[in-house]
Amino acid sequence: MERVIFHCDLNSFYASVELLSHPELRHLPVAVCGDPESRHGIILAKNEPAKRFGVKTAETIWQARKKCPDLVLLPAHHDRYREYSRRVNELYQEYTDLVEPFGIDESWLDVTGTLHLFGGDPAALADRLRERMRGELGLTISVGVSFNKVFAKLGSDYKKPDATTCITPENFRDIVWPLPVTDLLFVGRAAGRTLEKFGVRTIGELARFDREALYQLLGRPGAQLHDYANGLDRAPVAPAGKHAPPKSVGNGLTFSKNLQGREEIASGIAMLSDQVAARLRRHGMKCGGVALTVRDPDFRDVSRQKRLDRPTNLSRELAREAMDLADQLWNMSLPVRALTVTAIYLVAEDEAVAQQDLFAGAEEEKRQRLEQLDRAMDAIRDKYGKGAIGRASTPKGMDRERHAPPPGGAYHPK
């Protein structure tokens, strides 16, 4: 039996929730923003009229107002967004117990086993969901209907707002393959640039590219992306309430003043690596790779990632590898506005078996002692607070700066 997967995406979620309290503004260009008086004054969300002026998420308020001088700015209420997200997912659970949130405003639903209870027509059920969302919560969703999760998400992005798009085994080549390859789930900017060098600009070109060559270019993710493009995604939708282990763990920080020089950049990376490593240990995981994103004062991002010789959750090893990436990608004479360190290729601690050789004994003992030291620091912080103990490389006061979304818009749940 072919699966029936929905991907439901709340349209302009933050802005839509705010407009429930300000219906008189509904037809005006509106954006939800951070504090306009600080460096964190950026656009968090915008409604459809604002989109028509070219207002974009993550740009600064002054950039948005250059495009739209009459833009109405509203402050963010994150507790309200979490409450509406909870109510939305409760509505989804009336149709299936297989509801997997993907961030605060998106969810996958597997209705394969329950569709017959609601008429048996996937498109009609998607339309019914959209109607209930409008009538009961005052919000709109776009729904992608397909036979796997990746194509369902492409469907919800295909037509907005408040629309249903069905992608089937019969029509996916006509709908999906002409789309830019960067529209495909998990094709980031770096992968997109690599693929473009080899003439791969659309999902169809990715689907027709040699799978083994993609593996050589991008590793295992390359082969996986080839399967996605050909409709071969078989990932299940997780049951509602089931906690899935994180795919990555990252921390990003926008500094109150630009970092200048290698020493300050290294200190910022060390602090973020310490936080990421602590979270890995809390999850009982190690990482097989690390990624670094550097943002300059003009909001331009540069990213790079690397695989590690062995999985780790040691703070100093993460910091060393992230700093190696910084030396590769950044001119240390240039200022840095924000940094993000991300642990990738995660594995459970008990699966992280290091490669051993005849001379590894002493080194492995040293790593075990360092891990014990890191866990002792975790225990002190848990008991006395995060500021109770820190590393000498962290400048005084840096750990008190406000956190911002990681550069590039990536979200890493804590």
Side-chain angles (χ1 to χ4, degrees):
M1 181 180 180
E2 198 71 63
R3 292 195 299 165
V4 182
I5 309 296
F6 288 2
H7 184 268
C8 300
D9 188 357
L10 286 151
N11 303 136
S12 306
F13 179 48
Y14 287 10
S16 297
V17 171
E18 294 297 338
L19 288 171
L20 294 174
S21 303
H22 301 280
E24 72 280 4
L25 303 176
R26 192 171 299 277
H27 301 294
L28 300 176
V30 173
V32 179
C33 65
D35 180 5
E37 303 303 320
S38 78
R39 288 166 58 101
H40 298 272
I42 61 173
I43 302 300
L44 302 176
K46 68 280 181 191
N47 68 350
E48 289 298 322
K51 289 180 185 178
R52 289 195 283 272
F53 282 90
V55 175
K56 295 182 179 180
T57 300
E59 68 182 352
T60 58
I61 290 170
W62 68 266
Q63 288 172 321
R65 277 190 157 153
K66 280 179 66 177
K67 301 174 183 177
C68 182
D70 296 325
L71 185 66
V72 178
L73 299 176
L74 297 175
H77 297 90
H78 293 280
D79 54 343
R80 197 177 298 168
Y81 310 146
R82 287 191 291 270
E83 171 61 18
Y84 270 91
S85 179
R86 182 188 64 78
R87 293 169 63 182
V88 165
N89 280 288
E90 284 182 350
L91 189 153
Y92 296 153
Q93 289 170 37
E94 295 181 24
Y95 296 89
T96 176
D97 63 339
L98 299 176
V99 177
E100 180 182 347
F102 188 58
I104 196 170
D105 57 350
E106 303 176 44
S107 294
W108 279 292
L109 288 64
D110 187 338
V111 297
T112 309
T114 57
L115 184 64
H116 67 284
L117 301 174
F118 306 102
D121 183 337
L125 179 56
D127 292 342
R128 182 175 174 182
L129 270 175
R130 293 194 296 112
E131 182 180 357
R132 286 195 63 189
M133 199 67 65
R134 285 194 306 270
E136 298 177 24
L137 296 179
L139 304 174
T140 64
I141 53 173
S142 292
V143 185
V145 180
S146 194
F147 54 97
N148 64 50
K149 292 169 70 175
V150 170
F151 283 0
K153 178 160 174 56
L154 280 171
S156 69
D157 290 335
Y158 192 77
K159 187 177 180 183
K160 294 176 180 283
D162 198 13
T164 297
T165 300
C166 296
I167 298 177
T168 68
E170 293 73 34
N171 71 12
F172 80 84
R173 294 172 182 81
D174 295 326
I175 295 177
V176 170
W177 280 10
L179 298 174
V181 70
T182 49
D183 284 1
L184 191 65
L185 192 63
F186 305 125
V187 176
R189 285 175 293 181
R193 287 193 296 267
T194 300
L195 291 169
E196 187 174 3
K197 292 177 184 177
F198 291 86
V200 177
R201 295 177 178 83
T202 68
I203 296 176
E205 289 169 340
L206 176 64
R208 291 186 289 268
F209 204 84
D210 182 74
R211 190 176 188 273
E212 181 59 30
L214 280 171
Y215 184 87
Q216 296 299 322
L217 281 175
L218 300 172
R220 186 162 54 182
Q224 189 174 47
L225 292 176
H226 185 270
D227 292 344
Y228 288 169
N230 282 285
L232 301 178
D233 169 37
R234 295 291 182 264
V237 175
K242 180 179 180 181
H243 174 71
K247 300 292 179 64
S248 64
V249 171
N251 263 28
L253 184 60
T254 298
F255 300 95
S256 59
K257 64 176 184 177
N258 293 331
L259 303 182
Q260 298 282 353
R262 191 177 189 277
E263 184 177 351
E264 289 190 1
I265 292 170
S267 295
I269 286 175
M271 180 186 64
L272 291 168
S273 298
D274 193 29
Q275 296 167 351
V276 170
R279 287 171 55 197
L280 282 173
R281 294 189 293 271
R282 192 160 61 245
H283 287 301
M285 307 195 82
K286 294 187 176 184
C287 67
V290 63
L292 177 72
T293 300
V294 182
R295 173 172 286 182
D296 71 11
D298 295 321
F299 291 83
R300 291 187 293 261
D301 293 343
V302 182
S303 301
R304 190 164 294 180
Q305 66 183 46
K306 65 183 296 187
R307 284 208 178 253
L308 307 181
D309 292 334
R310 67 175 92 189
T312 187
N313 55 18
L314 290 175
S315 301
R316 66 192 65 201
E317 289 187 351
L318 273 182
R320 183 185 66 226
E321 301 297 343
M323 194 62 207
D324 181 57
L325 289 174
D327 286 328
Q328 295 176 41
L329 66 84
W330 195 251
N331 181 341
M332 293 297 168
S333 66
L334 299 177
V336 168
R337 184 180 196 272
L339 292 168
T340 296
V341 174
T342 306
I344 55 179
Y345 307 125
L346 304 191
V347 294
E349 285 180 328
D350 56 3
E351 296 176 11
V353 180
Q355 294 282 332
Q356 297 288 333
D357 60 42
L358 292 175
F359 304 100
E363 182 183 349
E364 195 59 32
E365 286 181 11
K366 180 181 177 181
R367 294 182 81 248
Q368 290 176 7
R369 289 197 299 271
L370 291 174
E371 190 166 332
Q372 290 172 357
L373 175 61
D374 279 355
R375 292 189 186 280
M377 292 176 65
D378 293 342
I380 292 171
R381 289 166 177 160
D382 289 344
K383 186 172 183 179
Y384 297 106
K386 292 182 179 179
I389 188 169
R391 298 188 179 275
S393 58
T394 302
K396 185 178 180 181
M398 184 178 282
D399 57 344
R400 294 195 295 270
E401 305 295 352
R402 287 179 56 190
H403 282 260
Y411 174 68
H412 307 289
K414 294 187 178 181

